[in-house]
Amino acid sequence: MKEDTRWKLLVAAGLITLSLAIYAIHFLIFQDAQHLLLYFVTSLAFVPIEVLFVTLIIDEMLESREKLQRIEKLNLIIGAFFSTEGTPLLAMLAQADPNVAELRREFVVRDSWTPAQFREIHTYLAQHPCSVSIDQLDLHLLQEFLFAHEEFALRIVENPMVFEHESFTGLMLALGHLIEEMKARKGLATLPRTDLVHLERDTNRVYNALVDEWFRYMEYMHGQYPYLFSLAMRTNPFDESASVVVS
């Protein structure tokens, strides 16, 4: 028997024994079995209501609060990822996107945006996958960047909270795979066209996930932390006029 199970059984047996002992003391003092039985049945009848109240109301409230706290902590991790690695990588990949001009029109998010406008962009992203052209991408620069931030990406993946966020987990898995693909090649200058197409596909997987997650994070900051949103828009990789200096 497992130690945890044994401990629970001992506690349960102890509580039951304590309850029986109290009932016995009550009977020895008052010698009133009818009243004791009436009290026992009344208490037993209230148990289902007590279980309902505890499990469906109190537990639900505690779980909801705990979930909000986990979301806050997880978004701290996502924020650290974008400030350290995500935003520079997104800017690098966007420069190799033949349709980046269209994205720039869509992704200049304003303070006045409504939830409906954010939903429109989510619909747009679902219908218009982003893509880079391997011919316009500096693979050596990308490789250096990924290798320089590999340890940081690994530290993020080691955090168990990351796996509670499905889309961010997908992004980190795609990013990890691209890093492994880059590490497996001794040189990039002499790769055949077929292999370049393969790397382009892996890079596009990262790019699409990165764009989607970036926009989700912008939406979160827009609603929760306006001062963080302000900085994010002043460093927006899709806004050519963006400047971190407030003017």
Side-chain angles (χ1 to χ4, degrees):
M1 185 182 297
K2 294 183 179 179
E3 186 64 30
D4 184 55
T5 304
R6 185 183 296 109
W7 177 83
K8 290 179 180 178
L9 289 175
L10 288 174
V11 170
L15 292 174
I16 293 173
T17 302
L18 179 61
S19 180
L20 292 175
I22 293 174
Y23 277 117
I25 293 172
H26 183 282
F27 178 75
L28 290 174
I29 294 175
F30 299 102
Q31 297 291 320
D32 190 349
Q34 183 178 0
H35 178 269
L36 186 61
L37 182 60
L38 177 64
Y39 179 77
F40 174 77
V41 173
T42 303
S43 300
L44 189 63
F46 186 71
V47 168
I49 299 176
E50 186 176 6
V51 171
L52 174 67
F53 183 77
V54 171
T55 57
L56 297 186
I57 299 179
I58 296 181
D59 283 357
E60 186 69 25
M61 292 172 59
L62 293 176
E63 184 179 350
S64 177
R65 182 178 180 181
E66 184 180 351
K67 183 177 180 180
L68 289 175
Q69 291 175 341
R70 290 200 306 269
I71 291 174
E72 289 290 326
K73 293 178 182 178
L74 181 56
N75 277 289
L76 285 176
I77 298 173
I78 295 175
F81 167 76
F82 276 107
S83 63
T84 303
E85 181 178 6
T87 300
L89 178 59
L90 187 57
M92 184 188 307
L93 297 179
Q95 291 178 355
D97 185 349
N99 300 314
V100 68
E102 185 175 350
L103 291 179
R104 284 171 177 157
R105 290 196 301 269
E106 301 290 344
F107 287 162
V108 180
V109 187
R110 303 300 182 190
D111 294 337
S112 58
W113 271 33
T114 64
Q117 289 174 290
F118 281 102
R119 286 195 298 270
E120 288 177 5
I121 300 300
H122 285 303
T123 302
Y124 171 84
L125 287 175
Q127 298 174 351
H128 299 81
C130 304
S131 62
V132 300
S133 171
I134 200 69
D135 297 323
Q136 299 180 31
L137 184 62
D138 189 333
L139 284 178
H140 293 282
L141 183 62
L142 176 62
Q143 185 183 59
E144 290 177 2
F145 180 87
L146 293 177
F147 289 177
H149 294 84
E150 181 181 9
E151 184 178 350
F152 175 76
L154 289 174
R155 289 205 305 270
I156 289 182
V157 173
E158 289 172 356
N159 193 312
M161 290 181 56
V162 169
F163 296 97
E164 296 186 21
H165 195 301
E166 185 177 351
S167 59
F168 188 67
T169 300
L171 166 60
M172 297 311 297
L173 289 174
L175 182 59
H177 176 72
L178 181 59
I179 293 174
E180 291 301 315
E181 288 279 2
M182 289 291 192
K183 289 173 65 177
R185 287 163 174 78
K186 296 181 179 179
L188 299 174
T190 58
L191 294 178
R193 187 67 190 175
T194 52
D195 199 39
L196 290 175
V197 171
H198 179 82
L199 285 178
E200 183 181 71
R201 187 163 55 248
D202 290 334
T203 304
N204 279 329
R205 187 182 299 111
V206 173
Y207 184 39
N208 272 283
L210 192 59
V211 169
D212 184 67
E213 199 58 42
W214 177 83
F215 188 72
R216 290 178 186 274
Y217 186 59
M218 294 304 105
E219 183 179 10
Y220 170 78
M221 288 193 298
H222 178 271
Q224 300 295 326
Y225 298 101
Y227 62 96
L228 293 178
F229 175 76
S230 173
L231 177 60
M233 287 301 98
R234 283 182 278 121
T235 56
N236 186 342
F238 294 104
D239 188 353
E240 293 182 298
S241 63
S243 173
V244 71
V245 178
V246 179
S247 59

